[in-house]
Amino acid sequence: MARLAKSNLPQFAVDIFQNEYLAEGAREVNAIVTVTATGGGTSGSVSAQPVNFADGPDAAVVIMVDCSGSMDYPSDKIRAAREATAAAIDAVRDGVAFAVVAGTHEAKEVYPGGGQLAVAHAGSREEAKQSLRRLTPSGGTAIGTWLSKAEQLFHSRRDISIRHGILLTDGRNEHENPNDLQRTLDRVQGHFTADCRGVGTDWEIQELRRISSALLGTVDIVADPAGLADDFRAMMENAMGKEVADVALRVWTPANAAVKFVKQVAPTVEDLSGRRKESGPRAGDYPTGSWGDESRDYHVCIEVPSAAVGSEMLAGRISLVVPQPDGTTEVLSQGLVKAVWTDDIAASTKISPQVAHYTGQADLAKAIQEGMEAHRRGDVDNATSKLGKAVQLAHESGNEDTFRLLAKVVDVVDPKEGTVRFRKNVSEADSMTLETRSTKTVRVKKTP
């Protein structure tokens, strides 16, 4: 087991938001779990702290850059990719292990080579940037080979726990069978996290989302190659702020109770239900990846046995755990989910504001994705209905960023009623940006 990344780890807090009151016969308990990490004391700055190189790297990152032939059409894409990779390298903190990989129908090490990771300092960052002239377009696209190469490089330093990839592509994974890519994802997930970016509009959203989801990272579009450098710099700075790896949300339920689902709902929607790993009697772990100073929200739904009015029970215990070198796990924080049966209709029918809000945000993401899929099929009526619902939900929840993206695809007649008309001549970039960012959510509005 790799060591934890730093001695000065953030402090974790778990807060539970729910309406614990159930009507007689009701069995479903919903709770929003807010996890907050603070006080780690590390920023993404290259020179944030003096580094004792004798201690060895505390994190590793591999940058995977698409160098298929299409990156030369237009040629500003590959130039922008080199500039973006240089910007990312400049943001690698001293003491962090890193590498650059060129991805085509195969993966080639660009820096440092020899199946190794370099350790970041002023000299190695400059060497890495000089090597980027070898990022030249040719060949096809087989992203699974890039991920496999990243895994090999990470495994060259098994003592490092925080492992992160940055992946850029401009096209579809045309030179690899989808089943082969899935087998690769099944093998590498849990070994490192990865953020994915698509440049231009010729790549496939669901393909990149499948990769970023498996690797607990983000996915986004950079429609104009000129925006790549700022995006890569921001991604790397965020990666440099990670301080503890392999954190899991452990959900324990009593006898005859069961977890229906666990979803991350902020800052993005991500269903973790299928990622459960049993961790003891009536307990399962759901991976959350690496953490720095940040806050995320999760929606946990538990089905409990029905009980008589006046009964109370502990429906679930939510713990945040991290593995230790000796094979045990440390509990960083925990919270309790409760169930109380009542005949007070007002109490049992009141929906937790947090649960209601994030249910709406998940519905918003689903409506956008279904609407854009219907539009691709030529089903304009269904697409209009779905995106009208999305406009209504975005307006009600105050998700202004998503509302603005929707307004580039549809003319909003009445946001309260969700009345819209599809705009004429919508750009592919606007359509893809809306769909790619559909899973981004806003937090619950604080009441005065």
Side-chain angles (χ1 to χ4, degrees), residues 257-296:
V259 177
K260 291 192 70 174
F261 62 76
V262 174
K263 298 177 182 178
Q264 177 182 289
V265 289
T268 59
V269 177
E270 185 67 54
D271 193 344
L272 302 175
S273 306
R275 305 288 293 274
R276 177 184 173 106
K277 290 186 177 179
E278 298 304 316
S279 57
R282 301 192 299 278
D285 288 354
Y286 300 84
T288 68
S290 300
W291 286 71
D293 282 11
E294 59 188 295
S295 180
R296 306 179 201 171

Side-chain angles (χ1 to χ4, degrees), residues 127-427:
E127 288 177 358
K129 287 188 291 183
Q130 291 300 319
S131 75
L132 299 183
R133 65 172 67 95
R134 297 203 297 273
L135 293 176
T136 54
S138 66
T141 305
I143 296 176
T145 65
W146 315 356
L147 299 173
S148 294
K149 176 61 69 175
E151 182 186 38
Q152 292 171 14
L153 291 168
F154 286 129
H155 279 176
S156 72
R157 292 300 305 265
R158 293 178 180 271
D159 57 320
I160 300 174
S161 61
I162 294 182
R163 303 168 174 179
H164 189 73
I166 290 176
L167 186 153
L168 173 72
T169 187
D170 79 325
R172 295 173 175 83
N173 197 43
E174 294 179 337
H175 297 87
E176 182 176 39
N177 185 292
N179 292 331
D180 291 338
L181 174 60
Q182 187 59 54
R183 279 190 286 271
T184 299
L185 290 173
D186 291 341
R187 189 184 72 249
V188 306
Q189 70 176 21
H191 297 170
F192 61 94
T193 57
D195 292 321
C196 301
R197 293 295 183 266
V199 60
T201 58
D202 293 329
W203 52 281
E204 187 175 318
I205 295 171
Q206 292 307 317
E207 198 166 66
L208 270 198
R209 195 187 301 283
R210 178 159 62 113
I211 296 168
S212 66
S213 178
L215 301 180
L216 299 174
T218 63
V219 61
D220 205 352
I221 180 174
V222 184
D224 185 348
L228 271 177
D230 287 343
D231 190 80
F232 264 47
R233 185 181 299 109
M235 274 195 294
M236 186 63 77
E237 289 174 351
N238 182 65
M240 293 300 97
K242 301 301 183 184
E243 298 162 286
V244 57
D246 302 323
V247 179
L249 201 68
R250 177 169 295 173
V251 182
W252 172 91
T253 52
N256 301 318
V259 177
K260 291 192 70 174
F261 62 76
V262 174
K263 298 177 182 178
Q264 177 182 289
V265 289
T268 59
V269 177
E270 185 67 54
D271 193 344
L272 302 175
S273 306
R275 305 288 293 274
R276 177 184 173 106
K277 290 186 177 179
E278 298 304 316
S279 57
R282 301 192 299 278
D285 288 354
Y286 300 84
T288 68
S290 300
W291 286 71
D293 282 11
E294 59 188 295
S295 180
R296 306 179 201 171
D297 292 337
Y298 299 87
H299 185 173
V300 176
C301 181
I302 299 171
E303 189 172 79
V304 297
S306 60
V309 169
S311 300
E312 299 183 15
M313 73 174 293
L314 178 62
R317 181 184 298 112
I318 314 296
S319 304
L320 211 65
V321 300
V322 65
Q324 298 298 298
D326 61 3
T328 62
T329 55
E330 177 186 354
V331 177
L332 303 174
S333 187
Q334 69 176 23
L336 304 178
V337 179
K338 302 175 182 178
V340 179
W341 282 266
T342 179
D343 56 5
D344 184 336
I345 296 176
S348 64
T349 56
K350 182 180 179 181
I351 301 176
S352 161
Q354 289 82 2
V355 171
H357 174 82
Y358 285 122
T359 299
Q361 293 292 284
D363 289 344
L364 169 59
K366 183 179 180 182
I368 291 173
Q369 292 168 20
E370 290 180 348
M372 298 308 293
E373 176 60 30
H375 192 252
R376 281 192 292 273
R377 295 196 310 267
D379 187 350
V380 177
D381 288 344
N382 190 30
T384 302
S385 174
K386 294 291 185 181
L387 293 189
K389 179 64 174 177
V391 164
Q392 186 180 38
L393 290 168
H395 175 72
E396 289 175 351
S397 65
N399 194 330
E400 296 177 0
D401 289 343
T402 299
F403 188 91
R404 282 193 290 267
L405 294 176
L406 282 160
K408 292 182 178 182
V409 175
V410 296
D411 288 319
V412 180
V413 179
D414 186 341
K416 290 185 178 180
E417 297 297 326
T419 306
V420 302
R421 292 189 298 264
F422 255 93
R423 298 172 70 97
K424 295 181 179 179
N425 303 317
V426 176
S427 73

